[in-house]
Amino acid sequence: MKKHVYTLIFILCILISGGSVQAAYSHIAVTDYQITPSVLMPEEKGIVTVTLSNTKTSGDTIPASLETGTNDEISESTGVFPSPVIDSVFLNGKKDIDVLAGNGQFEGQIGPGQSVQISFVIKAPPANGIYFAELLIRLRNQESIKYPIAVNVNTPISAVRQPALILSQSSSGPIHPGESFPVRISLTNRGVSQAKDITVRVKETGTSIALLQTNAFHIEKLKQGEESSGEITFNTDKNVNPGIHKIPIEILYTTPDKGEIGTSETLSLDIRGEADVSLMSIETDPSRIMKNTPFDLVIRLDNSGTGDAEAVRAWITLPFLGNKEAFIGRIEPHNDAPAVFILDSGESGEYPYTLHVSYKDDWGEHERTENLTLTVQSPPDNTSSIILGILLLIGGFLGYRMWTRRGDV
């Protein structure tokens, strides 16, 4: 009984540590192994796949304690270890596991930062239990590497039970720039053990998004399948760029066996700019419109909102000949653009008309109207001026005649 307990403890230590076995200064390490299927039935065949890696980087140098050593593999010119030479890789099944294929298939070198996978075909022993094969890596002029491979033959061993906290969020919907809004953050434990002393914290928000109150909330514990939530309120700058903003969230909690654990998640904030297109000014060319003459009507539209106004279009209801519709396109926030109408005036008088403007933004389609008036003038009546001029000419002529007759007398 004690033998099985020690065996299980040894296996769990191997699985939990996840470390690699490496010869001193060889840079060759066993970084992973997998058995397919993970649990073999008695006398079933399986595949053991081992990953060998060269952990050396270009900056690895000789330790000071070895600079005067006699290792022929150390480069005298560069002072760094060259890639070790692997003479052979064997899987020893001891007395229980039969290694059917794979031994001696690899020899040579593994480059710095590179990995190679080596597979072995094995046959499980006829009895249930946990068995250990031994991987032997022979390195030229260096110590060999030995690495234990645990093989599970029809033995139920539970993995370490851990919580799994799943984050979800809910809010009132898209956000207008300049608004304050709450976001409800929910955590659900989808794992198989309890999480305690849970802290959910906003790590950073950027310059245009700020927290109104605290940046964190606390949950005492979450058992398997339980859910809890908290609320964090954000405030946005009116000049924040529209779009999806990712806010990093840090989740800290403790587990019964691993102590404090930290994970990272993100919140997604959908900020949508809203355009506000309105009448800015009206001009005509010429400035005074005479009846039955051509003229240009220029109406400038301004976007004082926080988002782009797309597909901006304007049309008018004046009863004149000419183009009464203008397509402007896009107007960015705090910019303006002209709508130009080329028309022929009619008879003189006051003409009330309606300006219609339509546009789209991130919130949908919009339309607004303005009631305006255009004045068409008649040319000035010069009849009285002409009569007055004629009378002045006649009076002048008569005066001249009287003056000349006085001189004759």
Side-chain angles (χ1 to χ4, degrees), residues 172-230:
S172 57
I175 305 154
H176 290 83
E179 282 187 343
S180 299
F181 59 95
V183 175
R184 179 161 291 276
I185 302 174
S186 299
L187 284 182
T188 305
N189 186 358
R190 300 296 186 189
V192 292
S193 69
Q194 179 177 261
K196 298 177 65 177
D197 194 21
I198 306 164
T199 301
V200 181
R201 178 182 293 110
V202 178
K203 295 179 67 176
E204 56 186 58
T205 60
T207 58
S208 297
I209 301 175
L211 294 158
L212 279 186
Q213 299 168 351
T214 178
N215 69 331
F217 64 88
H218 184 263
I219 301 172
E220 183 179 354
K221 63 182 178 179
L222 280 180
K223 296 180 180 180
Q224 179 183 0
E226 286 186 342
E227 178 180 332
S228 184
S229 61

Side-chain angles (χ1 to χ4, degrees), residues 377-390:
Q377 299 181 359
S378 297
D381 187 358
N382 297 325
T383 304
S384 58
S385 299
I386 294 172
I387 294 173
L388 179 60
I390 294 173

Side-chain angles (χ1 to χ4, degrees), residues 360-409:
K360 295 189 296 184
D361 61 13
D362 291 340
W363 296 87
E365 297 185 359
H366 308 273
E367 183 174 333
R368 67 188 313 162
T369 59
E370 295 282 351
N371 294 320
L372 305 171
T373 301
L374 183 73
T375 301
V376 177
Q377 299 181 359
S378 297
D381 187 358
N382 297 325
T383 304
S384 58
S385 299
I386 294 172
I387 294 173
L388 179 60
I390 294 173
L391 292 175
L392 290 174
L393 288 174
I394 294 173
F397 177 74
L398 294 175
Y400 173 75
R401 292 289 296 170
M402 291 176 65
W403 183 77
T404 54
R405 287 181 181 181
R406 180 181 299 176
D408 293 341
V409 174

Side-chain angles (χ1 to χ4, degrees), residues 29-95:
V30 179
T31 55
D32 190 22
Y33 78 86
Q34 291 182 340
I35 301 176
T36 306
S38 59
V39 178
L40 296 172
M41 299 304 292
E43 297 189 332
E44 182 182 14
K45 293 180 181 179
I47 297 176
V48 177
T49 302
V50 179
T51 302
L52 300 184
S53 302
N54 186 342
T55 60
K56 172 187 173 184
T57 62
S58 59
D60 289 339
T61 58
I62 304 171
S65 60
L66 294 183
E67 288 184 353
T68 58
T70 59
N71 192 340
D72 295 334
E73 298 299 324
I74 298 176
S75 170
E76 295 180 359
S77 61
T78 62
V80 298
F81 286 105
S83 297
V85 178
I86 299 174
D87 285 332
S88 62
V89 181
F90 282 86
L91 182 64
N92 181 7
K94 304 292 182 72
K95 297 179 181 180

